[in-house]
Amino acid sequence: MNNERIQQLIRFVQEEPNEPFNIYALAMEYMSSQPAQARLYFDQLLTEHPDYLPTYYHAAALYAELDERERAAELYDKGILLAKAQQNQKTLQELERAQQAFEDDDDDW
């Protein structure tokens, strides 16, 4: 985790609170070292910017990692529907593959 980069991203969020990419970048910065903090930013994105498609892949993966499987499954479903609505084939395929891996993992339980 790069504290300087985090401080810069926080400034960007403060300067442009309606720009979802800044919040997304902040969530991604926290993803590996402080997942609870990343979750707060992903939840903010899902609430304030539900049409920001990149959120769904990583938020679902984070919820799966936190063993909140029902929420992860919901986010994969919503992301897939949004990718179809936005006609974003690349992200749709990524989400479908991730969802399949997630469901395959569920089968192992």
Side-chain angles (χ1 to χ4, degrees), residues 38-103:
R39 177 184 176 168
L40 292 174
Y41 288 111
F42 281 132
D43 286 345
Q44 179 181 351
L45 280 165
L46 292 164
T47 300
E48 296 175 11
H49 305 282
D51 291 337
Y52 191 68
L53 186 55
T55 305
Y56 290 87
Y57 180 94
H58 295 287
L62 178 62
Y63 273 96
E65 187 178 308
L66 296 172
D67 207 28
E68 294 187 38
R69 313 231 9 116
E70 192 172 309
R71 180 69 170 144
E74 174 189 330
L75 290 174
Y76 280 124
D77 288 341
K78 284 183 177 182
I80 287 168
L81 290 174
L82 183 60
K84 287 178 181 176
Q86 292 182 2
Q87 298 180 346
N88 186 323
Q89 291 302 310
K90 181 178 185 303
T91 303
L92 174 61
Q93 290 173 346
E94 290 171 351
L95 282 162
E96 287 175 336
R97 281 193 296 268
Q99 183 184 48
Q100 185 62 52
F102 170 75
E103 289 172 354

Side-chain angles (χ1 to χ4, degrees), residues 5-47:
R5 186 175 13 221
I6 285 176
Q7 292 307 312
Q8 183 178 30
L9 289 169
I10 289 171
R11 281 193 302 277
F12 290 162
V13 169
Q14 291 167 343
E15 292 168 6
E16 298 179 284
N18 293 319
E19 174 53 56
F21 177 77
N22 295 331
I23 302 166
Y24 174 79
L26 199 49
M28 294 303 295
E29 194 65 35
Y30 280 114
M31 190 81 155
S32 62
S33 61
Q34 294 183 32
Q37 191 66 35
R39 177 184 176 168
L40 292 174
Y41 288 111
F42 281 132
D43 286 345
Q44 179 181 351
L45 280 165
L46 292 164
T47 300

